Amino acid sequence: MDVSKYFPSINHQILFQFIRKKIADPKILNLIKKLIATSSTGNEYDYLFPPDSHFRTKQPRGIPIGNLTSQVFANIYLNEADQFIKHQLRIRHYLRYMDDLVILAEDKKYLRQVKEEIIKFLYDQLYLIVNPKKVRIFPADKGIDFLGYVIFKDHILLCSGNVRKFRKKYRKLLKKVQEGKISEEKAWQSVQSWIAHAKQADTYRLREKLFNGNPSPNRLSFGQLRLFDQ
């Protein structure tokens, strides 16, 4: 499961309460409070949530994606869920990366039960709403969809949607370079980022196919346009 609009949903008051549990220095607390208050989510996501939901009624909320402090704050915020899942629900096999959560168990009925308890905790205690389209219970032997990968017991693949998005992005980058709207160096930096992500999975043949026979290209090649136009 994962949280709907996680960063925009983080409640300022709750976040500051968690931080205050660990930090006593008033000057540092004052600085952190100012940092949290520098940004808040407006009404742009209201349409995704019911009018009486905590997202709509509990404000201010929202921290900016990309800020280094936001990465830390976001992990601090969901640490409360970690403690609930591990120490109260006593779930043994639990993984979390930011707002993506995975639980492994052998009993489907048990998973349905803990799913509801976690959803309730996130809403009641953290004012977070789980994305209903991304809550799934499924056999692990078919691969676990996590962080853009499909993880099997003995190998890892990229999600098919991940590859489709990259193909589309790559075409746009090459077109922008050809039109002089972006430098080849900047476009290549974006491609390199995806290649580094893809290398974490078993993608040698995929990268070989995508990059005209070269699984680890060292520059942007316009010849590769032929592959994406097919």
Side-chain angles (χ1 to χ4, degrees), residues 9-216:
S9 298
I10 292 175
N11 184 273
H12 289 189
Q13 184 177 354
I14 294 176
L15 172 60
F16 188 69
Q17 286 175 355
F18 294 155
I19 293 171
R20 196 164 54 183
K21 289 180 182 178
K22 300 293 183 180
I23 297 176
D25 189 295
K27 290 184 179 179
I28 295 178
L29 284 174
N30 187 51
L31 174 61
I32 291 173
K33 195 170 188 177
K34 287 181 179 178
L35 283 171
I36 294 171
T38 56
S39 176
S40 62
T41 307
N43 301 321
E44 61 265 40
Y45 302 118
D46 283 3
Y47 71 97
L48 296 172
F49 302 93
D52 60 346
S53 67
H54 286 340
F55 183 88
R56 299 280 291 272
T57 62
K58 305 291 187 180
Q59 298 189 37
R61 36 96 172 110
I63 58 176
I65 297 174
N67 281 18
L68 291 177
T69 52
S70 294
Q71 307 301 314
V72 177
F73 292 160
N75 268 320
I76 289 172
Y77 202 80
L78 273 180
N79 173 64
E80 300 298 317
D82 297 339
Q83 302 306 316
F84 172 74
I85 291 168
K86 291 301 293 182
H87 300 298
Q88 293 191 45
L89 297 183
R90 297 185 178 277
I91 293 173
R92 183 177 180 186
H93 302 295
Y94 164 67
L95 304 169
R96 177 175 70 83
Y97 184 88
M98 203 52 72
D99 66 318
D100 289 313
L101 289 73
V102 173
I103 292 168
L104 298 169
E106 296 180 355
D107 187 336
K108 189 181 290 187
K109 183 179 179 181
Y110 166 77
L111 286 171
R112 290 196 186 104
Q113 177 186 334
V114 298
K115 178 193 76 172
E116 295 304 322
E117 292 188 55
I118 292 169
I119 289 173
K120 186 176 186 304
F121 176 87
L122 291 173
Y123 186 76
D124 291 345
Q125 303 299 320
L126 303 179
Y127 300 164
L128 300 175
I129 297 174
V130 170
N131 188 333
K133 295 180 180 179
K134 296 184 178 181
V135 179
R136 296 189 299 138
I137 297 175
F138 57 90
D141 59 4
K142 294 184 179 181
I144 299 173
D145 186 348
F146 190 52
L147 306 179
Y149 303 101
V150 182
I151 303 169
F152 296 85
K153 183 178 180 180
D154 55 1
H155 66 288
I156 302 173
L157 301 178
L158 283 181
C159 292
S160 57
N162 183 309
V163 180
R164 285 195 300 271
K165 285 180 182 178
F166 175 71
R167 285 175 181 269
K168 186 176 180 180
K169 179 180 180 180
Y170 191 68
R171 280 196 295 264
K172 288 182 178 179
L173 284 171
L174 289 175
K175 186 178 180 180
K176 285 183 178 181
V177 171
Q178 289 178 321
E179 294 174 347
K181 294 179 179 179
I182 187 176
S183 69
E184 185 172 333
E185 181 182 0
K186 190 170 182 179
W188 176 236
Q189 288 174 354
S190 181
V191 174
Q192 278 184 308
S193 176
W194 184 85
I195 292 173
H197 172 73
K199 282 183 175 181
Q200 302 303 312
D202 299 295
T203 59
Y204 184 90
R205 290 185 180 179
L206 171 66
R207 287 181 284 115
E208 194 174 47
K209 180 182 177 183
L210 289 176
F211 298 109
N212 225 12
N214 184 0
S216 299

